[in-house]
Amino acid sequence: SVSRRQLEQDVFDEWPPAARALFDGSALASKTGFTASLLTAGANGYVRTSLLGVGELYAPDSRTLCIALWPQSRAAGVLTQSGRAALTFVCEDAFYQVQLQFEPLASASGDDSGLAHFIGFIDNGETQRVRYARLTGGITFELEEGSGAVLDRWERQIEHLKRAAAAARL
């Protein structure tokens, strides 16, 4: 059991700077190994995990997160019905868990990706660190050779999320 002195916990309702920089939609090629887990619970109570990369996540401001999902995915179905989800990831040696309330986001004009877009609002977030160990990563991946097409698709997806987020503010 970890003593309270060794466990550092912080709560937030706005993205801390490091997390905001991770989801700012820039320099995607330098962030390709990053993976976040989107946790949703369906009507049957089963919790499902969807793994998302930086090309599917965009924070247009300090309190929101836009995501792109396949429309037929279980996560998209749950977000359409209940809107509740948690996002977990590792950033700057800390474990993040963020509770969000999502709603559908209209696709931007010219978006031919076939993806469903959602905008989430932070209910609350928490970071955890322990003093005796450094968390160096969560779930990570490497793109296969010839991954330029993936990066191109991610760039387009982020641009669609940026335009959709900007249009939602009107």
Coordinates of all heavy atoms in Angstrom, one line a residue, residues 32-130:
T32 N 3.5 10.4 -32.4 CA 2.9 9.2 -33.0 C 2.8 8.1 -32.0 O 1.9 7.2 -32.2 CB 3.5 8.8 -34.3 OG1 4.9 8.5 -34.0 CG2 3.4 9.8 -35.4
G33 N 3.6 7.9 -31.1 CA 3.6 6.7 -30.2 C 2.6 6.9 -29.1 O 2.3 5.9 -28.4
F34 N 2.0 8.1 -28.9 CA 1.1 8.3 -27.8 C -0.3 7.6 -28.0 O -0.8 7.6 -29.1 CB 0.8 9.8 -27.7 CG -0.3 10.1 -26.7 CD1 0.0 10.2 -25.3 CD2 -1.5 10.4 -27.1 CE1 -1.0 10.5 -24.4 CE2 -2.6 10.6 -26.2 CZ -2.3 10.7 -24.9
T35 N -0.8 7.0 -26.9 CA -2.1 6.4 -27.0 C -2.9 6.8 -25.7 O -2.3 6.8 -24.6 CB -2.0 4.9 -27.0 OG1 -1.2 4.5 -28.1 CG2 -3.4 4.2 -27.2
A36 N -4.1 7.2 -25.9 CA -5.0 7.4 -24.8 C -6.1 6.3 -24.8 O -6.5 5.8 -25.9 CB -5.7 8.8 -24.9
S37 N -6.7 6.0 -23.7 CA -7.8 5.1 -23.6 C -9.0 5.8 -23.3 O -9.1 6.5 -22.3 CB -7.5 4.1 -22.4 OG -6.4 3.3 -22.7
L38 N -10.0 5.7 -24.2 CA -11.3 6.2 -23.9 C -12.2 5.1 -23.4 O -12.4 4.1 -24.0 CB -11.9 6.8 -25.2 CG -13.3 7.4 -25.1 CD1 -13.1 8.8 -24.4 CD2 -13.9 7.6 -26.5
L39 N -12.7 5.3 -22.1 CA -13.5 4.3 -21.5 C -15.0 4.7 -21.5 O -15.3 5.8 -21.0 CB -13.0 4.1 -20.0 CG -11.5 3.8 -19.9 CD1 -11.0 4.0 -18.4 CD2 -11.2 2.4 -20.3
T40 N -15.8 3.8 -22.0 CA -17.2 4.1 -22.0 C -18.0 2.9 -21.4 O -17.5 1.8 -21.5 CB -17.7 4.3 -23.5 OG1 -17.4 3.2 -24.3 CG2 -17.1 5.6 -24.1
A41 N -19.1 3.1 -20.9 CA -19.9 2.0 -20.3 C -21.3 2.0 -21.0 O -22.0 3.0 -21.1 CB -20.2 2.2 -18.8
G42 N -21.6 0.9 -21.7 CA -22.8 0.7 -22.4 C -24.0 0.5 -21.5 O -23.9 0.4 -20.2
A43 N -25.2 0.4 -22.0 CA -26.4 0.2 -21.3 C -26.4 -1.1 -20.4 O -27.0 -1.2 -19.4 CB -27.6 0.2 -22.2
N44 N -25.6 -2.0 -20.9 CA -25.5 -3.3 -20.1 C -24.5 -3.2 -19.0 O -24.3 -4.1 -18.3 CB -25.0 -4.4 -21.1 CG -23.7 -4.2 -21.8 OD1 -23.0 -3.2 -21.5 ND2 -23.4 -5.0 -22.7
G45 N -23.8 -2.0 -18.9 CA -22.9 -1.8 -17.8 C -21.5 -2.2 -18.1 O -20.6 -2.0 -17.3
Y46 N -21.2 -2.9 -19.2 CA -19.9 -3.3 -19.5 C -19.0 -2.1 -19.9 O -19.5 -1.3 -20.7 CB -19.9 -4.3 -20.7 CG -20.4 -5.7 -20.3 CD1 -21.5 -6.2 -21.0 CD2 -19.9 -6.4 -19.2 CE1 -22.0 -7.4 -20.6 CE2 -20.4 -7.6 -18.9 CZ -21.4 -8.2 -19.6 OH -22.0 -9.4 -19.2
V47 N -17.8 -2.0 -19.4 CA -16.9 -1.0 -19.7 C -16.1 -1.4 -20.9 O -15.6 -2.5 -20.9 CB -16.0 -0.6 -18.5 CG1 -15.0 0.4 -18.9 CG2 -16.8 -0.1 -17.4
R48 N -16.0 -0.5 -21.9 CA -15.2 -0.8 -23.1 C -14.1 0.2 -23.2 O -14.3 1.4 -22.8 CB -16.1 -0.8 -24.4 CG -17.3 -1.7 -24.3 CD -16.8 -3.1 -24.5 NE -18.0 -3.9 -24.6 CZ -18.0 -5.2 -24.7 NH1 -16.8 -5.8 -24.7 NH2 -19.0 -6.0 -24.7
T49 N -13.0 -0.2 -23.8 CA -11.9 0.7 -24.1 C -11.7 0.9 -25.5 O -11.6 -0.1 -26.3 CB -10.6 0.1 -23.4 OG1 -10.8 0.0 -22.0 CG2 -9.4 1.1 -23.6
S50 N -11.5 2.2 -25.9 CA -11.1 2.5 -27.3 C -9.8 3.2 -27.2 O -9.6 4.1 -26.4 CB -12.2 3.5 -28.0 OG -13.4 2.9 -28.0
L51 N -8.8 2.7 -28.0 CA -7.5 3.3 -28.0 C -7.4 4.4 -29.1 O -7.8 4.1 -30.2 CB -6.4 2.3 -28.2 CG -6.4 1.1 -27.2 CD1 -5.4 0.1 -27.5 CD2 -6.2 1.7 -25.8
L52 N -7.0 5.6 -28.7 CA -7.0 6.7 -29.6 C -5.6 7.3 -29.7 O -4.9 7.4 -28.6 CB -8.0 7.8 -29.1 CG -9.4 7.4 -29.0 CD1 -10.2 8.5 -28.4 CD2 -10.0 6.9 -30.3
G53 N -5.2 7.8 -30.9 CA -3.9 8.4 -31.0 C -4.1 9.9 -31.2 O -5.2 10.4 -31.2
V54 N -3.0 10.6 -31.3 CA -3.1 12.1 -31.4 C -3.8 12.6 -32.6 O -4.3 13.7 -32.6 CB -1.7 12.8 -31.3 CG1 -1.1 12.6 -29.9 CG2 -0.8 12.3 -32.4
G55 N -4.0 11.8 -33.6 CA -4.7 12.2 -34.8 C -6.2 12.1 -34.6 O -6.9 12.5 -35.6
E56 N -6.7 11.7 -33.5 CA -8.1 11.6 -33.2 C -8.5 12.4 -32.0 O -9.7 12.4 -31.6 CB -8.4 10.1 -32.9 CG -8.3 9.3 -34.2 CD -7.6 7.9 -33.9 OE1 -7.0 7.7 -32.8 OE2 -7.7 7.1 -34.8
L57 N -7.6 13.2 -31.5 CA -7.9 14.0 -30.3 C -7.4 15.5 -30.5 O -6.3 15.7 -31.0 CB -7.1 13.5 -29.1 CG -7.3 12.0 -28.7 CD1 -6.1 11.4 -27.9 CD2 -8.6 11.9 -27.9
Y58 N -8.3 16.4 -30.2 CA -8.0 17.8 -30.4 C -8.6 18.6 -29.3 O -9.8 18.6 -29.1 CB -8.4 18.3 -31.8 CG -8.3 19.8 -31.9 CD1 -7.1 20.4 -31.9 CD2 -9.4 20.6 -32.1 CE1 -7.0 21.8 -32.0 CE2 -9.3 21.9 -32.3 CZ -8.1 22.6 -32.2 OH -8.0 23.9 -32.3
A59 N -7.8 19.4 -28.5 CA -8.3 20.3 -27.5 C -8.3 21.7 -28.0 O -7.3 22.4 -28.1 CB -7.5 20.2 -26.2
P60 N -9.5 22.2 -28.4 CA -9.6 23.6 -29.0 C -9.4 24.7 -27.9 O -9.1 25.8 -28.2 CB -10.9 23.7 -29.6 CG -11.8 22.7 -28.9 CD -10.8 21.6 -28.5
D61 N -9.6 24.3 -26.7 CA -9.4 25.3 -25.6 C -9.1 24.5 -24.3 O -9.0 23.3 -24.3 CB -10.7 26.2 -25.4 CG -12.0 25.5 -25.2 OD1 -12.0 24.6 -24.3 OD2 -13.0 25.8 -25.8
S62 N -9.1 25.2 -23.2 CA -8.6 24.6 -21.9 C -9.6 23.7 -21.3 O -9.3 23.0 -20.3 CB -8.2 25.7 -20.9 OG -9.4 26.5 -20.6
R63 N -10.9 23.6 -21.7 CA -11.9 22.8 -21.1 C -12.6 21.8 -22.0 O -13.5 21.1 -21.5 CB -13.0 23.7 -20.5 CG -12.5 24.6 -19.3 CD -13.6 25.4 -18.7 NE -13.1 26.2 -17.6 CZ -13.2 25.8 -16.3 NH1 -13.8 24.7 -16.0 NH2 -12.8 26.6 -15.4
T64 N -12.2 21.7 -23.2 CA -12.9 20.8 -24.1 C -11.9 19.9 -24.8 O -10.7 20.1 -24.9 CB -13.7 21.6 -25.2 OG1 -12.8 22.4 -25.9 CG2 -14.8 22.4 -24.5
L65 N -12.5 18.8 -25.4 CA -11.7 17.8 -26.2 C -12.6 17.3 -27.3 O -13.7 16.9 -27.0 CB -11.3 16.6 -25.3 CG -10.4 15.6 -26.1 CD1 -9.1 16.2 -26.4 CD2 -10.3 14.3 -25.2
C66 N -12.2 17.5 -28.5 CA -12.9 16.9 -29.7 C -12.2 15.6 -30.0 O -11.0 15.5 -30.0 CB -12.8 17.9 -30.9 SG -13.6 19.5 -30.5
I67 N -13.1 14.6 -30.4 CA -12.5 13.3 -30.8 C -13.2 12.9 -32.1 O -14.3 13.3 -32.4 CB -12.7 12.3 -29.7 CG1 -14.2 12.0 -29.4 CG2 -12.0 12.7 -28.4 CD1 -14.4 10.9 -28.4
A68 N -12.5 12.1 -32.8 CA -13.0 11.4 -34.1 C -13.0 9.9 -33.9 O -12.0 9.3 -33.5 CB -12.1 11.8 -35.2
L69 N -14.2 9.3 -34.1 CA -14.4 7.9 -33.9 C -15.0 7.3 -35.2 O -15.8 8.0 -35.9 CB -15.3 7.6 -32.7 CG -14.8 8.1 -31.4 CD1 -15.9 7.9 -30.3 CD2 -13.6 7.3 -30.9
W70 N -14.9 6.0 -35.4 CA -15.6 5.4 -36.4 C -17.1 5.4 -36.0 O -17.4 5.0 -34.9 CB -15.1 3.9 -36.7 CG -13.7 3.9 -37.2 CD1 -12.6 3.5 -36.6 CD2 -13.3 4.4 -38.5 NE1 -11.5 3.7 -37.5 CE2 -12.0 4.2 -38.7 CE3 -14.0 4.9 -39.6 CZ2 -11.2 4.5 -39.8 CZ3 -13.3 5.2 -40.8 CH2 -12.0 5.0 -40.9
P71 N -18.0 5.8 -36.9 CA -19.4 5.9 -36.4 C -20.0 4.6 -36.0 O -21.0 4.6 -35.2 CB -20.1 6.4 -37.7 CG -19.2 6.3 -38.8 CD -17.8 6.1 -38.2
Q72 N -19.6 3.4 -36.5 CA -20.1 2.1 -36.1 C -19.5 1.6 -34.8 O -19.9 0.5 -34.4 CB -20.0 1.1 -37.3 CG -18.6 0.7 -37.6 CD -17.8 1.6 -38.5 OE1 -18.2 2.8 -38.7 NE2 -16.8 1.1 -39.1
S73 N -18.6 2.3 -34.2 CA -17.9 1.8 -33.0 C -18.8 1.8 -31.8 O -19.7 2.6 -31.8 CB -16.6 2.6 -32.7 OG -17.0 3.9 -32.3
R74 N -18.6 0.9 -30.9 CA -19.4 0.9 -29.7 C -19.2 2.2 -28.9 O -20.2 2.8 -28.4 CB -18.9 -0.2 -28.8 CG -19.4 -1.6 -29.3 CD -19.0 -2.7 -28.3 NE -17.6 -2.9 -28.4 CZ -16.9 -4.0 -28.3 NH1 -17.6 -5.1 -28.2 NH2 -15.6 -4.1 -28.4
A75 N -18.0 2.8 -28.9 CA -17.8 4.1 -28.2 C -18.6 5.2 -28.8 O -19.2 6.0 -28.1 CB -16.3 4.5 -28.3
A76 N -18.7 5.2 -30.1 CA -19.6 6.3 -30.8 C -21.0 6.1 -30.4 O -21.7 7.0 -30.1 CB -19.4 6.2 -32.3
G77 N -21.5 4.8 -30.3 CA -22.8 4.5 -29.9 C -23.1 5.0 -28.5 O -24.1 5.6 -28.2
V78 N -22.2 4.7 -27.6 CA -22.4 5.1 -26.2 C -22.4 6.6 -26.0 O -23.2 7.2 -25.3 CB -21.3 4.4 -25.3 CG1 -21.3 5.1 -23.9 CG2 -21.5 2.9 -25.2
L79 N -21.4 7.3 -26.7 CA -21.4 8.7 -26.6 C -22.6 9.4 -27.2 O -23.0 10.4 -26.7 CB -20.1 9.3 -27.3 CG -18.8 8.9 -26.7 CD1 -17.6 9.6 -27.4 CD2 -18.8 9.2 -25.2
T80 N -23.2 8.8 -28.2 CA -24.4 9.3 -28.8 C -25.6 9.2 -27.8 O -26.4 10.1 -27.6 CB -24.8 8.6 -30.1 OG1 -23.7 8.9 -31.0 CG2 -26.1 9.1 -30.7
Q81 N -25.6 8.1 -27.0 CA -26.7 7.8 -26.1 C -26.5 8.5 -24.8 O -27.3 9.2 -24.3 CB -26.8 6.3 -25.8 CG -27.3 5.6 -27.1 CD -27.3 4.0 -26.8 OE1 -26.7 3.5 -25.9 NE2 -28.1 3.4 -27.7
S82 N -25.3 8.3 -24.1 CA -25.2 8.8 -22.7 C -24.2 10.0 -22.7 O -24.3 10.8 -21.8 CB -24.6 7.7 -21.8 OG -23.3 7.5 -22.0
G83 N -23.3 10.1 -23.6 CA -22.3 11.2 -23.6 C -21.2 11.0 -22.5 O -20.3 11.8 -22.5
R84 N -21.3 10.1 -21.6 CA -20.3 10.0 -20.6 C -19.1 9.1 -21.0 O -19.3 8.0 -21.6 CB -20.9 9.4 -19.3 CG -22.1 10.1 -18.8 CD -21.9 11.3 -18.1 NE -20.8 11.2 -17.1 CZ -19.9 12.3 -16.9 NH1 -20.1 13.4 -17.4 NH2 -19.0 12.1 -16.0
A85 N -17.9 9.6 -20.6 CA -16.7 8.8 -20.9 C -15.6 9.3 -20.0 O -15.6 10.4 -19.5 CB -16.3 8.9 -22.4
A86 N -14.6 8.5 -19.9 CA -13.3 8.8 -19.2 C -12.2 8.6 -20.1 O -12.2 7.7 -20.9 CB -13.1 8.0 -17.9
L87 N -11.2 9.5 -20.1 CA -10.0 9.4 -20.9 C -8.9 9.3 -20.0 O -8.7 10.0 -19.0 CB -9.8 10.7 -21.8 CG -8.7 10.6 -22.8 CD1 -9.2 9.8 -24.0 CD2 -8.3 12.0 -23.3
T88 N -8.1 8.2 -20.2 CA -6.9 8.0 -19.4 C -5.6 8.0 -20.3 O -5.7 7.5 -21.4 CB -7.0 6.7 -18.6 OG1 -7.0 5.6 -19.5 CG2 -8.2 6.7 -17.7
F89 N -4.5 8.5 -19.8 CA -3.3 8.5 -20.5 C -2.1 8.9 -19.6 O -2.4 9.3 -18.4 CB -3.4 9.5 -21.7 CG -3.7 10.9 -21.3 CD1 -2.7 11.9 -21.0 CD2 -5.0 11.3 -21.1 CE1 -3.0 13.2 -20.7 CE2 -5.3 12.6 -20.8 CZ -4.3 13.6 -20.5
V90 N -0.9 8.8 -20.1 CA 0.3 9.1 -19.3 C 0.9 10.3 -20.0 O 1.0 10.4 -21.2 CB 1.3 8.0 -19.3 CG1 2.6 8.4 -18.7 CG2 0.7 6.8 -18.6
C91 N 1.2 11.3 -19.2 CA 1.9 12.5 -19.7 C 2.8 13.1 -18.6 O 2.3 13.2 -17.4 CB 0.8 13.6 -20.1 SG 1.4 15.1 -20.7
E92 N 4.0 13.5 -18.9 CA 4.9 14.1 -18.0 C 5.0 13.3 -16.7 O 4.8 13.9 -15.6 CB 4.6 15.5 -17.7 CG 5.0 16.4 -18.9 CD 5.1 17.9 -18.5 OE1 4.4 18.3 -17.6 OE2 5.9 18.6 -19.1
D93 N 5.2 12.0 -16.7 CA 5.5 11.1 -15.6 C 4.2 11.0 -14.7 O 4.3 10.5 -13.6 CB 6.6 11.6 -14.7 CG 7.9 11.8 -15.5 OD1 8.1 11.1 -16.4 OD2 8.7 12.6 -15.1
A94 N 3.1 11.3 -15.2 CA 1.8 11.2 -14.4 C 0.8 10.5 -15.1 O 0.7 10.5 -16.4 CB 1.3 12.6 -14.0
F95 N -0.1 9.8 -14.4 CA -1.3 9.1 -14.9 C -2.4 10.1 -14.8 O -2.7 10.7 -13.8 CB -1.6 7.9 -14.1 CG -2.9 7.2 -14.5 CD1 -2.9 6.5 -15.7 CD2 -4.0 7.3 -13.8 CE1 -4.1 5.8 -16.1 CE2 -5.2 6.7 -14.1 CZ -5.2 6.0 -15.3
Y96 N -3.1 10.3 -16.0 CA -4.2 11.2 -16.0 C -5.5 10.4 -16.2 O -5.6 9.4 -17.0 CB -4.1 12.1 -17.3 CG -3.2 13.3 -17.2 CD1 -1.8 13.1 -17.1 CD2 -3.7 14.6 -17.1 CE1 -1.0 14.2 -17.0 CE2 -2.8 15.7 -17.0 CZ -1.5 15.4 -17.0 OH -0.6 16.5 -16.9
Q97 N -6.6 10.8 -15.5 CA -7.9 10.3 -15.7 C -8.8 11.5 -15.7 O -8.9 12.2 -14.8 CB -8.3 9.3 -14.6 CG -9.7 8.8 -14.9 CD -10.0 7.6 -14.1 OE1 -9.3 6.6 -14.1 NE2 -11.1 7.6 -13.3
V98 N -9.5 11.6 -16.9 CA -10.4 12.8 -17.1 C -11.8 12.4 -17.4 O -12.0 11.6 -18.3 CB -9.9 13.7 -18.3 CG1 -10.6 15.0 -18.4 CG2 -8.4 14.0 -18.1
Q99 N -12.8 12.8 -16.6 CA -14.2 12.5 -16.8 C -14.7 13.6 -17.7 O -14.6 14.8 -17.4 CB -14.9 12.6 -15.5 CG -14.4 11.6 -14.4 CD -14.6 10.1 -14.8 OE1 -15.6 9.8 -15.4 NE2 -13.6 9.3 -14.5
L100 N -15.4 13.2 -18.8 CA -15.9 14.2 -19.8 C -17.4 13.9 -20.1 O -17.8 12.7 -20.0 CB -15.1 14.1 -21.1 CG -13.6 14.5 -21.0 CD1 -12.8 13.3 -21.5 CD2 -13.3 15.7 -21.7
Q101 N -18.1 14.9 -20.5 CA -19.4 14.8 -21.0 C -19.4 15.2 -22.5 O -19.0 16.3 -22.8 CB -20.4 15.7 -20.2 CG -21.8 15.7 -20.7 CD -22.5 14.3 -20.5 OE1 -22.4 13.7 -19.4 NE2 -23.2 13.8 -21.5
F102 N -19.7 14.2 -23.4 CA -19.6 14.5 -24.8 C -21.0 14.7 -25.4 O -22.0 14.2 -24.9 CB -19.0 13.2 -25.5 CG -17.5 13.1 -25.3 CD1 -17.0 12.4 -24.3 CD2 -16.7 13.8 -26.2 CE1 -15.6 12.3 -24.1 CE2 -15.3 13.7 -26.0 CZ -14.8 12.9 -25.0
E103 N -21.0 15.4 -26.6 CA -22.1 15.5 -27.4 C -21.7 15.4 -28.9 O -20.5 15.8 -29.2 CB -22.9 16.8 -27.1 CG -22.1 18.0 -27.3 CD -22.9 19.3 -26.8 OE1 -23.4 19.3 -25.7 OE2 -22.9 20.3 -27.6
P104 N -22.5 15.0 -29.8 CA -22.1 15.0 -31.2 C -21.7 16.3 -31.7 O -22.3 17.4 -31.3 CB -23.4 14.5 -31.9 CG -24.1 13.7 -30.8 CD -23.9 14.5 -29.6
L105 N -20.8 16.4 -32.6 CA -20.2 17.6 -33.2 C -20.5 17.5 -34.7 O -20.1 16.5 -35.3 CB -18.8 17.7 -32.9 CG -18.0 18.9 -33.3 CD1 -18.6 20.2 -32.8 CD2 -16.5 18.8 -32.9
A106 N -21.1 18.4 -35.3 CA -21.3 18.4 -36.7 C -20.0 18.4 -37.5 O -19.1 19.0 -37.1 CB -22.2 19.6 -37.1
S107 N -19.9 17.6 -38.5 CA -18.7 17.5 -39.3 C -18.5 18.8 -40.0 O -19.4 19.5 -40.4 CB -18.8 16.4 -40.3 OG -18.9 15.1 -39.6
A108 N -17.3 19.1 -40.2 CA -16.9 20.3 -40.9 C -17.2 20.2 -42.4 O -17.1 19.0 -42.9 CB -15.4 20.7 -40.7
S109 N -17.4 21.2 -43.1 CA -17.6 21.2 -44.5 C -16.3 20.6 -45.2 O -15.2 20.9 -44.8 CB -18.0 22.5 -45.1 OG -16.9 23.4 -44.9
G110 N -16.5 19.8 -46.2 CA -15.4 19.2 -46.9 C -14.8 18.0 -46.2 O -13.9 17.4 -46.6
D111 N -15.4 17.5 -45.1 CA -14.9 16.4 -44.3 C -15.5 15.1 -45.0 O -16.7 14.8 -45.0 CB -15.4 16.4 -42.9 CG -14.9 15.2 -42.1 OD1 -14.2 14.3 -42.6 OD2 -15.3 15.1 -40.9
D112 N -14.6 14.4 -45.6 CA -15.0 13.1 -46.3 C -14.4 11.9 -45.6 O -14.3 10.8 -46.2 CB -14.6 13.1 -47.8 CG -13.1 13.3 -48.0 OD1 -12.4 13.4 -46.9 OD2 -12.6 13.2 -49.1
S113 N -14.0 12.1 -44.3 CA -13.4 11.0 -43.6 C -14.3 9.9 -43.2 O -13.8 8.8 -43.0 CB -12.8 11.6 -42.3 OG -13.8 12.0 -41.4
G114 N -15.6 10.1 -43.1 CA -16.5 9.1 -42.7 C -16.5 8.9 -41.2 O -17.2 8.0 -40.7
L115 N -15.8 9.8 -40.4 CA -15.7 9.6 -39.0 C -16.8 10.4 -38.3 O -17.3 11.4 -38.8 CB -14.4 10.1 -38.5 CG -13.2 9.3 -39.0 CD1 -11.9 9.9 -38.6 CD2 -13.2 7.9 -38.5
A116 N -17.2 10.0 -37.1 CA -18.1 10.7 -36.3 C -17.3 11.6 -35.3 O -16.3 11.1 -34.8 CB -19.0 9.7 -35.5
H117 N -17.7 12.8 -35.2 CA -17.0 13.8 -34.3 C -17.8 14.1 -33.1 O -19.1 14.2 -33.1 CB -16.8 15.1 -35.1 CG -15.9 14.9 -36.3 ND1 -16.3 15.4 -37.5 CD2 -14.7 14.2 -36.5 CE1 -15.3 15.0 -38.4 NE2 -14.4 14.4 -37.8
F118 N -17.1 14.2 -32.0 CA -17.8 14.5 -30.7 C -17.0 15.6 -30.0 O -15.8 15.7 -30.2 CB -17.8 13.3 -29.8 CG -18.7 12.2 -30.3 CD1 -18.1 11.2 -31.2 CD2 -20.0 12.1 -30.0 CE1 -18.9 10.2 -31.7 CE2 -20.8 11.1 -30.5 CZ -20.3 10.1 -31.4
I119 N -17.7 16.4 -29.2 CA -17.0 17.4 -28.4 C -17.3 17.1 -27.0 O -18.4 16.9 -26.6 CB -17.4 18.9 -28.8 CG1 -16.5 19.9 -28.0 CG2 -18.9 19.1 -28.6 CD1 -16.6 21.3 -28.6
G120 N -16.2 17.1 -26.2 CA -16.4 16.7 -24.7 C -16.0 17.9 -23.9 O -15.1 18.6 -24.2
F121 N -16.7 18.0 -22.8 CA -16.4 19.0 -21.8 C -15.9 18.4 -20.5 O -16.5 17.4 -20.0 CB -17.7 19.9 -21.6 CG -18.2 20.4 -22.8 CD1 -19.2 19.7 -23.5 CD2 -17.8 21.6 -23.4 CE1 -19.7 20.2 -24.8 CE2 -18.2 22.1 -24.6 CZ -19.2 21.4 -25.3
I122 N -14.8 18.9 -19.9 CA -14.3 18.3 -18.7 C -15.2 18.5 -17.6 O -15.5 19.6 -17.2 CB -12.9 18.9 -18.4 CG1 -11.9 18.6 -19.6 CG2 -12.3 18.4 -17.1 CD1 -10.5 19.3 -19.4
D123 N -15.6 17.4 -16.9 CA -16.3 17.5 -15.6 C -15.2 17.6 -14.5 O -15.3 18.5 -13.7 CB -17.1 16.2 -15.4 CG -18.4 16.2 -16.1 OD1 -18.9 17.3 -16.5 OD2 -19.0 15.1 -16.2
N124 N -14.2 16.7 -14.5 CA -13.1 16.8 -13.6 C -12.0 15.9 -14.1 O -12.3 14.9 -14.9 CB -13.6 16.4 -12.2 CG -14.0 15.0 -12.1 OD1 -13.3 14.1 -12.2 ND2 -15.3 14.8 -11.9
G125 N -10.8 16.2 -13.7 CA -9.7 15.4 -14.0 C -8.8 15.2 -12.8 O -8.8 16.0 -11.9
E126 N -7.9 14.2 -12.9 CA -7.0 13.9 -11.8 C -5.7 13.4 -12.4 O -5.7 12.7 -13.3 CB -7.6 12.9 -10.9 CG -6.8 12.5 -9.7 CD -7.5 11.5 -8.9 OE1 -8.5 11.8 -8.2 OE2 -7.0 10.3 -8.9
T127 N -4.6 13.8 -11.8 CA -3.3 13.3 -12.1 C -2.8 12.6 -10.8 O -3.1 13.0 -9.7 CB -2.3 14.3 -12.5 OG1 -2.1 15.2 -11.4 CG2 -2.7 15.1 -13.7
Q128 N -2.0 11.5 -11.0 CA -1.4 10.8 -9.9 C 0.0 10.5 -10.3 O 0.4 10.1 -11.4 CB -2.1 9.4 -9.7 CG -3.6 9.5 -9.3 CD -4.2 8.2 -9.1 OE1 -3.5 7.1 -9.1 NE2 -5.5 8.2 -9.0
R129 N 0.9 10.7 -9.3 CA 2.3 10.4 -9.4 C 2.7 9.7 -8.0 O 2.1 10.0 -7.0 CB 3.1 11.6 -9.5 CG 3.1 12.3 -10.8 CD 4.0 13.5 -10.8 NE 4.0 14.2 -12.0 CZ 3.2 15.1 -12.4 NH1 2.2 15.5 -11.6 NH2 3.3 15.7 -13.6
V130 N 3.7 8.9 -8.1 CA 4.3 8.4 -6.8 C 5.8 8.9 -6.8 O 6.4 9.0 -7.9 CB 4.2 6.9 -6.7 CG1 2.8 6.4 -6.5 CG2 4.9 6.2 -7.9

